[in-house]
Amino acid sequence: MAILIAGGGIGGLTAALALAHQGLEAQVFEQATAFEEIGAGLQISPNSARVLQALGLEKPLRPYVVLPEAAQIRHWRHGKTIAETPLGAAAQAKYGAPYYHIHRADLMRVLAEAAERSPKISLHLGAPVDAISQSPSGVSLSTSHARYEGEALIGADGLYSRVRNHLWGEQAPRFTGNVAWRALVPREKLPADWMARKANVWWGPGKHFVHYDVRGGDLVNCVCVVEKSGWQLESWTHRGEASELAADFAGWHGDIQQLLAAADPDSLFKWALFDRPPMRQWGKGRISLLGDACHPMLPFMAQGSAMAIEDGAVLAKCLVGARDIAAALQRYEAMRKPRTNFVQNLSRRNARVFHLRGVARFMRNQIAPWAGQRAMDRLYAYDAFTPSGD
Ligand SMILES: Cc1cc2nc3c(=O)[nH]c(=O)nc-3n(C[C@H](O)[C@H](O)[C@H](O)COP(=O)(O)OP(=O)(O)OC[C@H]3O[C@@H](n4cnc5c(N)ncnc54)[C@H](O)[C@@H]3O)c2cc1C
């Protein structure tokens, strides 16, 4: 019997590919009628690029990815560099895997095409997972038109996970007081000498601005986060007003003004950032969780997708050859939870650090060039395929 996966996002599809890579069968149930090709840029750090490469996706990803030369933090008003970390060849040499920037739609397409090609994976689209049950010998789930049985069920169904609710009851996520904007800027609309390929983060009081190249360098992806109350719509498809975005970043450096002026108005979206605290326990018996379903995180470490990708690799490693499925899922959870708790907590902490004001901001800028390197090394050097995983 196959492993059943609820949710065909980045986490669910990677898990299916990782299971197939280990010779196991997977069935993916996605509520949407097509794999979502919405969203914007994603940072795929070496810890997750290593997994994608091991799954044979380096070549199909190549036309879409950008390899940034460095990550740079700049001052919101005068643009002075606060800290810079080399990436590119340096990241490859240090961590044994590249640092990629990619459009979410491009990554989704590559994952979905690889899953469609795999004889070990069955994909069910337009199949929202509804009723769920388990017994000592297996699991079953129902969609609107059929019932399926399997060895185990993995809830990779995102922030509002149906599987998580089934296991632990419904609990609303928490609004973090931050609203995120995203926009895409065609590179041809920027001056020819527009800054080098870097992951750029601009720190300002109560807000920050991130931009980097995607789609092979044809587009600049912008994500900006602003502390705001009174607007709490969590949707990836809610359009934002250019005038509101411009007002949010009035007085910021000229490079930011140039980006905002060149942004494609049709690519402008706004969503409220929600999160949940780390869970005490993810799974029960033959059912467990993966990705945003068990550790949704703020985008302040750019690790949401990376953690979901790592989860899939570790899950497959634990399930291959397992006689006791419940014990294998417990092992998976024990291997993953300390790391995802660490990243969830770091993302929450960065939500404060990025937006500091006054003296605290001054102190932060002094230590920024060397602070955080150990945490980054711990994050990026992780190899999900080694026996211990950490
Ligand atoms: C549409 C969308 C756009 C995004 N864009 C960005 C972005 O631009 N930048 C960024 O950093 N992060 C983005 N994210 C978040 C990022 O992709 C996730 O944090 C990360 O990849 C974790 O992935 P996941 O697979 O765990 O969850 P998700 O990406 O949320 O995927 C969950 C999947 O489960 C499906 N699902 C939910 N309930 C059910 C059910 N009952 N039955 C069957 N299927 C179900 C959903 O339709 C979805 O496809 C986006 C997420 C989504 C859903």
Side-chain angles (χ1 to χ4, degrees), residues 5-13 29-32 34-43 103-104 107-108 124 127-130 143 155-163 182 212 221 223 236-237 271 290-297 299 302-309 311:
I5 299 173
I10 291 169
L13 288 175
F29 300 85
E30 167 55 44
Q31 64 183 2
F35 290 109
E36 292 282 13
E37 293 211 353
I38 49 179
L42 290 175
Q43 308 209 39
H103 195 294
R104 186 177 186 277
L107 176 58
M108 280 298 292
H124 306 266
V129 171
D130 186 12
T143 66
D157 47 350
L159 183 65
Y160 296 95
S161 169
R162 171 85 189 79
V163 180
R182 71 165 193 261
Y212 52 84
N221 175 65
V223 180
W236 291 96
T237 51
W271 79 103
L290 176 152
D292 281 9
C294 47
H295 47 67
M297 51 188 76
Q303 285 291 314
S305 301
M307 288 300 117
I309 290 170
D311 283 349

Side-chain angles (χ1 to χ4, degrees), residues 35-383:
F35 290 109
E36 292 282 13
E37 293 211 353
I38 49 179
L42 290 175
Q43 308 209 39
I44 298 294
S45 48
N47 45 313
S48 50
R50 195 185 334 277
V51 173
L52 299 176
Q53 288 190 336
L55 297 176
L57 300 178
E58 183 178 12
K59 200 167 158 212
L61 285 171
R62 208 174 293 151
Y64 306 114
V65 297
V66 170
L67 287 102
E69 291 164 13
Q72 175 175 254
I73 301 172
R74 296 179 69 185
H75 185 282
W76 67 281
R77 188 162 32 82
H78 51 60
K80 189 174 157 239
T81 299
I82 297 169
E84 180 157 328
T85 312
L87 294 174
Q92 175 74 49
K94 190 170 185 186
Y95 306 114
Y99 196 109
Y100 291 145
H101 287 154
I102 191 166
H103 195 294
R104 186 177 186 277
D106 296 334
L107 176 58
M108 280 298 292
R109 196 174 317 115
V110 167
L111 292 172
E113 284 172 6
E116 276 158 12
R117 280 194 306 272
S118 171
K120 297 270 181 200
I121 300 174
S122 309
L123 299 173
H124 306 266
L125 288 167
V129 171
D130 186 12
I132 296 164
S133 65
Q134 67 171 313
S135 70
S137 59
V139 294
S140 76
L141 65 79
S142 303
T143 66
S144 39
H145 35 263
R147 184 168 175 274
Y148 299 84
E149 296 191 338
E151 285 278 5
L153 170 62
I154 307 301
D157 47 350
L159 183 65
Y160 296 95
S161 169
R162 171 85 189 79
V163 180
R164 175 187 175 128
N165 288 352
H166 166 82
L167 291 175
W168 305 111
E170 208 156 326
Q171 282 165 337
R174 178 191 72 108
F175 174 56
T176 60
N178 288 287
V179 171
W181 290 90
R182 71 165 193 261
L184 290 168
V185 181
R187 210 162 210 287
E188 68 202 16
K189 284 198 169 180
L190 295 167
D193 62 348
W194 174 254
M195 61 182 80
R197 286 187 172 184
K198 290 184 179 170
N200 297 280
V201 185
W202 299 71
W203 281 345
K207 46 191 94 164
H208 76 278
F209 196 116
V210 178
H211 61 92
Y212 52 84
D213 292 356
V214 293
R215 198 148 280 167
D218 292 346
L219 294 171
V220 180
N221 175 65
C222 304
V223 180
C224 351
V225 179
V226 182
E227 290 172 11
K228 266 182 202 243
S229 52
W231 191 85
Q232 300 193 10
L233 182 61
E234 205 273 339
S235 158
W236 291 96
T237 51
H238 181 84
R239 289 191 185 279
E241 283 297 324
S243 55
E244 188 189 345
L245 176 58
D248 278 346
F249 288 91
W252 280 52
H253 190 266
D255 287 352
I256 297 294
Q257 303 308 329
Q258 235 173 353
L259 274 173
L260 295 179
D264 172 1
D266 289 339
S267 76
L268 202 58
F269 293 92
K270 174 183 169 193
W271 79 103
L273 293 177
F274 282 76
D275 82 346
R276 297 179 189 272
M279 294 178 79
R280 277 226 301 255
Q281 190 179 336
W282 294 357
K284 269 187 209 167
R286 289 172 175 264
I287 304 181
S288 193
L289 305 171
L290 176 152
D292 281 9
C294 47
H295 47 67
M297 51 188 76
L298 294 170
F300 292 75
M301 289 290 295
Q303 285 291 314
S305 301
M307 288 300 117
I309 290 170
E310 288 182 3
D311 283 349
V314 176
L315 174 76
K317 191 171 72 182
C318 291
L319 282 174
V320 67
R323 287 178 180 279
D324 182 340
I325 296 287
L329 291 180
Q330 268 178 21
R331 205 161 55 246
Y332 152 72
E333 183 175 326
M335 285 172 75
R336 292 299 297 155
K337 203 135 64 68
R339 181 165 166 88
T340 58
N341 284 358
F342 166 71
V343 182
Q344 265 183 302
N345 288 329
L346 218 52
S347 302
R348 280 187 158 190
R349 193 206 62 171
N350 278 357
R352 293 190 302 277
V353 172
F354 280 23
H355 295 179
L356 285 174
R357 297 172 164 89
V359 182
R361 177 185 62 173
F362 175 79
M363 301 298 286
R364 174 203 66 193
N365 291 358
Q366 301 308 304
I367 61 169
W370 47 270
Q373 192 54 51
R374 262 184 58 195
M376 285 320 204
D377 287 347
R378 177 175 166 192
L379 263 181
Y380 298 166
Y382 179 89
D383 184 348

